[in-house]
Amino acid sequence: METKIRLYNPSDLTALYDICLKTGDSGKDATEHYDDPKILGHFYAAPYAVLEPNLCFVVTCSGKPCGYILGTQNSEQFYETCENEWFPKLRENYPLPNANNTSKDAHIIRLIHKGHIVNQDLTDYPAHLHIDLLPITQGKGIGRKLMEIFLNKLRELEIPSVHLQVGKSNPGAIQYYEKMGFHIIKEYDKAIAFGMVFS
């Protein structure tokens, strides 16, 4: 199997939705948890690829996308752009669910209507990222290569620092980020915020 890493192409968007879903349960396949297969990608993947494609890198396996890293160089600006250009149409297409709807789809729809809120704990780390890899790519050093490409791009853009959040239910990812040189910014009930400062 030949693997390559390249910059995102708009033709990859459908694959990004699929990868987001198939890694959406703390790195495991979340397909059975969601009725709408695009709902996770609407919030966690697609807006980054569409609005900030220069920071979206795709790994392909024999020519087919099988993982990605994406993010933004300025979280606050990105959130504002999402509010103006991304969420309005989604809110039309996905009305707020009833208060008694406790499905995972409903949870994401509520996030779409709520929009992004700047986390004051992370303002010293303006960039943030998401990385998702299908099992076929894991354990081969591909994640590290993707991360290095993304972090080097931030350095080229003279971004001072970056953050990410990972669920406490994903100990493998926590260990991975620690090995990559990220430090803990803050622990929350269900997640840990990691950061890296570029010297």
mmCIF file of all heavy atoms in Angstrom, residues 74-92:
data_model
loop_
_atom_site.group_PDB
_atom_site.id
_atom_site.type_symbol
_atom_site.label_atom_id
_atom_site.label_comp_id
_atom_site.label_asym_id
_atom_site.label_seq_id
_atom_site.Cartn_x
_atom_site.Cartn_y
_atom_site.Cartn_z
ATOM 1 N N ASN A 74 -5.835 30.905 13.607
ATOM 2 C CA ASN A 74 -6.378 31.857 14.574
ATOM 3 C C ASN A 74 -7.789 31.427 14.943
ATOM 4 O O ASN A 74 -8.738 31.646 14.187
ATOM 5 C CB ASN A 74 -6.370 33.274 13.997
ATOM 6 C CG ASN A 74 -6.760 34.322 15.019
ATOM 7 O OD1 ASN A 74 -7.781 34.208 15.687
ATOM 8 N ND2 ASN A 74 -5.939 35.369 15.153
ATOM 9 N N SER A 75 -7.929 30.805 16.094
ATOM 10 C CA SER A 75 -9.216 30.230 16.483
ATOM 11 C C SER A 75 -10.316 31.276 16.553
ATOM 12 O O SER A 75 -11.437 31.048 16.084
ATOM 13 C CB SER A 75 -9.086 29.529 17.841
ATOM 14 O OG SER A 75 -8.144 28.487 17.775
ATOM 15 N N GLU A 76 -10.023 32.430 17.130
ATOM 16 C CA GLU A 76 -11.051 33.446 17.301
ATOM 17 C C GLU A 76 -11.582 33.936 15.956
ATOM 18 O O GLU A 76 -12.791 34.067 15.754
ATOM 19 C CB GLU A 76 -10.495 34.614 18.122
ATOM 20 C CG GLU A 76 -11.561 35.553 18.651
ATOM 21 C CD GLU A 76 -11.039 36.507 19.708
ATOM 22 O OE1 GLU A 76 -9.943 36.267 20.241
ATOM 23 O OE2 GLU A 76 -11.737 37.497 19.988
ATOM 24 N N GLN A 77 -10.675 34.176 15.013
ATOM 25 C CA GLN A 77 -11.101 34.615 13.681
ATOM 26 C C GLN A 77 -11.872 33.513 12.970
ATOM 27 O O GLN A 77 -12.859 33.771 12.273
ATOM 28 C CB GLN A 77 -9.888 35.041 12.853
ATOM 29 C CG GLN A 77 -9.268 36.357 13.291
ATOM 30 C CD GLN A 77 -8.097 36.764 12.420
ATOM 31 O OE1 GLN A 77 -7.807 36.136 11.397
ATOM 32 N NE2 GLN A 77 -7.408 37.820 12.831
ATOM 33 N N PHE A 78 -11.414 32.282 13.135
ATOM 34 C CA PHE A 78 -12.091 31.149 12.498
ATOM 35 C C PHE A 78 -13.513 31.009 13.023
ATOM 36 O O PHE A 78 -14.454 30.781 12.262
ATOM 37 C CB PHE A 78 -11.295 29.864 12.744
ATOM 38 C CG PHE A 78 -11.946 28.626 12.188
ATOM 39 C CD1 PHE A 78 -11.919 28.366 10.831
ATOM 40 C CD2 PHE A 78 -12.583 27.724 13.024
ATOM 41 C CE1 PHE A 78 -12.510 27.223 10.306
ATOM 42 C CE2 PHE A 78 -13.179 26.584 12.526
ATOM 43 C CZ PHE A 78 -13.136 26.338 11.156
ATOM 44 N N TYR A 79 -13.691 31.142 14.321
ATOM 45 C CA TYR A 79 -15.024 31.039 14.908
ATOM 46 C C TYR A 79 -15.952 32.116 14.353
ATOM 47 O O TYR A 79 -17.136 31.869 14.095
ATOM 48 C CB TYR A 79 -14.951 31.155 16.426
ATOM 49 C CG TYR A 79 -14.195 30.038 17.108
ATOM 50 C CD1 TYR A 79 -13.710 30.197 18.408
ATOM 51 C CD2 TYR A 79 -13.952 28.818 16.468
ATOM 52 C CE1 TYR A 79 -13.018 29.178 19.049
ATOM 53 C CE2 TYR A 79 -13.253 27.805 17.091
ATOM 54 C CZ TYR A 79 -12.790 27.989 18.385
ATOM 55 O OH TYR A 79 -12.107 26.981 19.018
ATOM 56 N N GLU A 80 -15.399 33.308 14.163
ATOM 57 C CA GLU A 80 -16.206 34.401 13.620
ATOM 58 C C GLU A 80 -16.604 34.117 12.171
ATOM 59 O O GLU A 80 -17.739 34.357 11.767
ATOM 60 C CB GLU A 80 -15.416 35.713 13.706
ATOM 61 C CG GLU A 80 -16.195 36.941 13.280
ATOM 62 C CD GLU A 80 -15.426 38.226 13.478
ATOM 63 O OE1 GLU A 80 -14.516 38.252 14.328
ATOM 64 O OE2 GLU A 80 -15.741 39.214 12.774
ATOM 65 N N THR A 81 -15.661 33.565 11.410
ATOM 66 C CA THR A 81 -15.952 33.218 10.017
ATOM 67 C C THR A 81 -17.016 32.117 9.946
ATOM 68 O O THR A 81 -17.921 32.162 9.106
ATOM 69 C CB THR A 81 -14.678 32.761 9.294
ATOM 70 O OG1 THR A 81 -13.693 33.793 9.372
ATOM 71 C CG2 THR A 81 -14.959 32.463 7.823
ATOM 72 N N CYS A 82 -16.918 31.133 10.831
ATOM 73 C CA CYS A 82 -17.935 30.082 10.877
ATOM 74 C C CYS A 82 -19.308 30.679 11.164
ATOM 75 O O CYS A 82 -20.313 30.276 10.559
ATOM 76 C CB CYS A 82 -17.593 29.057 11.957
ATOM 77 S SG CYS A 82 -16.300 27.891 11.508
ATOM 78 N N GLU A 83 -19.355 31.620 12.073
ATOM 79 C CA GLU A 83 -20.621 32.235 12.453
ATOM 80 C C GLU A 83 -21.247 32.968 11.269
ATOM 81 O O GLU A 83 -22.465 32.962 11.092
ATOM 82 C CB GLU A 83 -20.393 33.193 13.620
ATOM 83 C CG GLU A 83 -21.653 33.626 14.328
ATOM 84 C CD GLU A 83 -22.431 32.460 14.932
ATOM 85 O OE1 GLU A 83 -21.826 31.478 15.413
ATOM 86 O OE2 GLU A 83 -23.681 32.533 14.896
ATOM 87 N N ASN A 84 -20.406 33.562 10.434
ATOM 88 C CA ASN A 84 -20.902 34.351 9.308
ATOM 89 C C ASN A 84 -21.123 33.529 8.044
ATOM 90 O O ASN A 84 -22.045 33.810 7.269
ATOM 91 C CB ASN A 84 -19.922 35.489 8.997
ATOM 92 C CG ASN A 84 -19.847 36.520 10.105
ATOM 93 O OD1 ASN A 84 -20.834 36.759 10.802
ATOM 94 N ND2 ASN A 84 -18.680 37.121 10.288
ATOM 95 N N GLU A 85 -20.286 32.509 7.831
ATOM 96 C CA GLU A 85 -20.275 31.831 6.534
ATOM 97 C C GLU A 85 -20.628 30.346 6.579
ATOM 98 O O GLU A 85 -20.949 29.772 5.535
ATOM 99 C CB GLU A 85 -18.894 31.992 5.880
ATOM 100 C CG GLU A 85 -18.483 33.445 5.643
ATOM 101 C CD GLU A 85 -17.118 33.559 4.997
ATOM 102 O OE1 GLU A 85 -16.662 32.573 4.361
ATOM 103 O OE2 GLU A 85 -16.496 34.635 5.127
ATOM 104 N N TRP A 86 -20.548 29.727 7.744
ATOM 105 C CA TRP A 86 -20.742 28.271 7.788
ATOM 106 C C TRP A 86 -22.020 27.854 8.510
ATOM 107 O O TRP A 86 -22.807 27.063 7.999
ATOM 108 C CB TRP A 86 -19.528 27.605 8.447
ATOM 109 C CG TRP A 86 -19.564 26.109 8.365
ATOM 110 C CD1 TRP A 86 -19.869 25.237 9.377
ATOM 111 C CD2 TRP A 86 -19.323 25.300 7.210
ATOM 112 N NE1 TRP A 86 -19.813 23.935 8.926
ATOM 113 C CE2 TRP A 86 -19.482 23.947 7.598
ATOM 114 C CE3 TRP A 86 -18.981 25.578 5.888
ATOM 115 C CZ2 TRP A 86 -19.315 22.881 6.707
ATOM 116 C CZ3 TRP A 86 -18.814 24.523 5.006
ATOM 117 C CH2 TRP A 86 -18.978 23.204 5.412
ATOM 118 N N PHE A 87 -22.230 28.375 9.697
ATOM 119 C CA PHE A 87 -23.359 27.932 10.501
ATOM 120 C C PHE A 87 -24.735 28.375 10.012
ATOM 121 O O PHE A 87 -25.710 27.627 10.203
ATOM 122 C CB PHE A 87 -23.178 28.367 11.960
ATOM 123 C CG PHE A 87 -22.094 27.625 12.686
ATOM 124 C CD1 PHE A 87 -21.217 28.299 13.530
ATOM 125 C CD2 PHE A 87 -21.937 26.255 12.540
ATOM 126 C CE1 PHE A 87 -20.215 27.620 14.208
ATOM 127 C CE2 PHE A 87 -20.929 25.566 13.208
ATOM 128 C CZ PHE A 87 -20.067 26.260 14.051
ATOM 129 N N PRO A 88 -24.884 29.555 9.414
ATOM 130 C CA PRO A 88 -26.247 29.986 9.046
ATOM 131 C C PRO A 88 -27.013 28.989 8.189
ATOM 132 O O PRO A 88 -28.177 28.678 8.470
ATOM 133 C CB PRO A 88 -26.009 31.310 8.312
ATOM 134 C CG PRO A 88 -24.779 31.863 8.949
ATOM 135 C CD PRO A 88 -23.911 30.654 9.192
ATOM 136 N N LYS A 89 -26.372 28.451 7.154
ATOM 137 C CA LYS A 89 -27.046 27.497 6.276
ATOM 138 C C LYS A 89 -27.345 26.194 7.016
ATOM 139 O O LYS A 89 -28.417 25.594 6.852
ATOM 140 C CB LYS A 89 -26.188 27.211 5.036
ATOM 141 C CG LYS A 89 -26.872 26.320 4.005
ATOM 142 C CD LYS A 89 -28.099 26.996 3.421
ATOM 143 C CE LYS A 89 -28.696 26.144 2.303
ATOM 144 N NZ LYS A 89 -29.945 26.752 1.767
ATOM 145 N N LEU A 90 -26.391 25.749 7.830
ATOM 146 C CA LEU A 90 -26.616 24.517 8.591
ATOM 147 C C LEU A 90 -27.783 24.676 9.560
ATOM 148 O O LEU A 90 -28.572 23.749 9.757
ATOM 149 C CB LEU A 90 -25.348 24.140 9.363
ATOM 150 C CG LEU A 90 -24.195 23.551 8.549
ATOM 151 C CD1 LEU A 90 -22.971 23.350 9.438
ATOM 152 C CD2 LEU A 90 -24.591 22.227 7.896
ATOM 153 N N ARG A 91 -27.893 25.846 10.163
ATOM 154 C CA ARG A 91 -28.989 26.074 11.107
ATOM 155 C C ARG A 91 -30.344 26.052 10.402
ATOM 156 O O ARG A 91 -31.345 25.643 10.987
ATOM 157 C CB ARG A 91 -28.771 27.397 11.836
ATOM 158 C CG ARG A 91 -27.622 27.331 12.837
ATOM 159 C CD ARG A 91 -27.199 28.703 13.322
ATOM 160 N NE ARG A 91 -26.048 28.605 14.230
ATOM 161 C CZ ARG A 91 -25.235 29.610 14.512
ATOM 162 N NH1 ARG A 91 -25.445 30.797 13.968
ATOM 163 N NH2 ARG A 91 -24.221 29.440 15.345
ATOM 164 N N GLU A 92 -30.354 26.472 9.152
ATOM 165 C CA GLU A 92 -31.587 26.372 8.359
ATOM 166 C C GLU A 92 -31.933 24.905 8.102
ATOM 167 O O GLU A 92 -33.097 24.505 8.179
ATOM 168 C CB GLU A 92 -31.414 27.094 7.020
ATOM 169 C CG GLU A 92 -31.397 28.611 7.100
ATOM 170 C CD GLU A 92 -31.258 29.230 5.719
ATOM 171 O OE1 GLU A 92 -31.522 28.528 4.710
ATOM 172 O OE2 GLU A 92 -30.868 30.407 5.630
#
